[in-house]
């Protein structure tokens, strides 16, 4: 079976399709851990540097975003300490998901390549964090050569602490 894969910048017209895919991913994989009240807004991060969608045979099947470091992001600080540089030189990869029906087509790797390319084009080093329970995502990052910087406990609210793995892209 020959399928056409394409990564392109996300447009406002894509948000609804992205939310539908995100709902599928949330039901099947529990990502995101806490379903956002306004998922379309959640996808459009305030410090966004860009967002891309993946298409498989013309249908939106994946998403990734790139943003500046925000309060509470641990990975940029870990990376900057390790490399003796400013955390402002890190860019955070996030909101990565691929529809269950599109897995096995290299979509996740294509999205990661595109977001990494954009970060480097801007002179920034890509980092990310992932909940420790998401073994499939961690396996993807490690397969792509990303380095686990640390595993930390993050307090997401007064009643919720979550263990996350922090990663940095290869140098």
């Amino acid at each position: 079976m020959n399928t056409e894969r394409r990564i392109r910048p996300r447009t406002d017209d894509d948000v609804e399709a992205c939310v539908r895919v995100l709902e599928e991913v949330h039901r099947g994989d529990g990502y995101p851990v806490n379903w956002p009240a306004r998922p379309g807004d959640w996808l459009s991060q305030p410090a966004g540097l860009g967002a891309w969608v993946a298409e498989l045979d013309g249908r939106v099947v994946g998403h990734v975003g790139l943003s500046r470091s925000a309060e509470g992001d641990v990975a940029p600080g870990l990376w900057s300490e390790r490399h003796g540089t400013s955390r402002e030189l890190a860019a955070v990869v996030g909101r990565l998901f691929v529809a269950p029906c599109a897995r096995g087509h290299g979509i996740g790797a294509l999205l990661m390549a595109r977001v990494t390319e954009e970060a480097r084009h801007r002179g920034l080093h890509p980092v990310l964090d992932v909940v420790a329970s998401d073994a499939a995502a961690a396996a993807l990052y490690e397969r792509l050569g990303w380095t686990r910087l640390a595993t930390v406990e993050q307090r997401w609210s007064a009643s919720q602490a979550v263990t996350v793995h922090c990663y940095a892209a290869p140098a």
Side-chain angles (χ1 to χ4, degrees):
M1 178 165 94
N2 206 0
T3 56
E4 184 186 336
R5 305 173 307 172
R6 182 168 83 121
I7 307 299
R8 62 172 176 75
R10 186 193 71 208
T11 67
D12 290 344
D13 291 341
D14 294 321
V15 173
E16 191 176 309
C18 289
V19 169
R20 280 195 303 274
V21 173
L22 185 62
E23 287 171 339
E24 274 183 68
V25 171
H26 180 70
R27 276 194 309 274
D29 303 333
Y31 176 82
V33 172
N34 299 320
W35 183 254
R38 299 173 58 109
D41 292 347
W42 182 80
L43 287 173
S44 305
Q45 306 160 64
L49 298 172
W52 296 266
V53 294
E55 291 181 339
L56 188 61
D57 295 330
R59 218 173 82 244
V60 171
V61 295
H63 179 275
V64 70
L66 185 68
S67 64
R68 294 247 175 236
S69 174
E71 176 123 10
D73 286 334
V74 178
L78 291 169
W79 175 81
S80 68
E81 285 170 23
R82 185 173 286 191
H83 293 278
T85 188
S86 165
R87 70 181 281 134
E88 280 72 42
L89 293 177
V92 178
V93 175
R95 314 300 197 247
L96 172 68
F97 54 91
V98 175
C101 67
R103 294 179 186 163
H105 292 278
I107 300 289
L110 287 171
L111 285 164
M112 289 298 290
R114 180 62 191 92
V115 77
T116 299
E117 175 190 339
E118 180 66 22
R120 294 192 191 290
H121 174 75
R122 292 171 175 266
L124 302 171
H125 193 89
V127 298
L128 60 83
D129 60 30
V130 59
V131 292
S133 59
D134 194 344
L140 170 67
Y141 307 139
E142 290 174 14
R143 204 167 49 250
L144 296 174
W146 287 55
T147 302
R148 187 183 301 181
L149 301 169
T151 299
V152 300
E153 195 81 4
Q154 277 189 330
R155 183 142 297 280
W156 286 4
S157 71
S159 61
Q160 186 179 32
V162 179
T163 302
V164 298
H165 300 309
C166 300
Y167 284 91

